Amino acid sequence: MNFNHWDLVDQLWVYIVNTVEDVLKSGYGFTFFPDQPIKFDLKTIDYNSMLVMIDDGEVTNQLVDKRVFLSSLLESADRFYSLLSFYFDGIVNYEYELEQINSLKSMLPELTKD
């Protein structure tokens, strides 16, 4: 993703976190960006790999390490909502989102079989 894909960032993070939850539960998840016809698609290939697809009229696919990618997404979402909570203390409440992220982070060690 790059800045051509920017969107309503706080809503986009919710969509991405929900997509991560879907992929952790079923092996597949997708969402569309808020107010844009951009599809974000995650598909488990095996225990260690997943396919990431972004379709903004031109499809881009990338095979990634599943645990590293999902961990990075969740860490970034956590950082985003933690900063919003800090800067807008008392004005916005992202407790639900942060709890969801932490719950999903706890599922990550289960991704690999050693």
Side-chain angles (χ1 to χ4, degrees):
M1 285 186 231
N2 62 41
F3 286 110
N4 293 330
H5 300 113
W6 73 274
D7 208 326
L8 303 167
V9 179
D10 60 333
Q11 292 176 28
L12 179 58
W13 272 117
V14 169
Y15 291 11
I16 289 172
V17 169
N18 288 336
T19 302
V20 169
E21 183 172 24
D22 290 343
V23 84
L24 287 172
K25 289 180 177 178
S26 72
Y28 177 72
F30 76 94
T31 191
F32 286 90
F33 282 40
D35 297 334
Q36 291 194 51
I38 299 171
K39 186 178 181 185
F40 178 68
D41 201 306
L42 300 175
K43 182 179 181 182
T44 297
I45 303 301
D46 60 33
Y47 286 110
N48 298 314
S49 303
M50 72 181 328
L51 185 65
V52 178
M53 183 198 75
I54 297 175
D55 182 354
D56 61 356
E58 182 178 322
V59 177
T60 304
N61 292 308
Q62 185 69 46
L63 191 62
V64 298
D65 180 287
K66 183 177 179 178
R67 190 175 195 298
V68 170
F69 183 76
L70 295 179
S71 178
S72 294
L73 277 180
L74 292 173
E75 283 298 324
S76 296
D78 190 335
R79 190 170 37 242
F80 176 80
Y81 285 115
S82 293
L83 284 171
L84 279 182
S85 295
F86 174 78
Y87 286 115
F88 297 105
D89 185 37
I91 299 172
V92 293
N93 184 341
Y94 291 109
E95 284 182 40
Y96 175 81
E97 289 82 357
L98 290 166
E99 287 175 14
Q100 180 186 19
I101 291 164
N102 284 325
S103 174
L104 294 174
K105 281 182 184 180
S106 71
M107 296 171 70
L108 290 177
E110 299 172 13
L111 289 178
T112 56
K113 287 187 174 182
D114 294 325

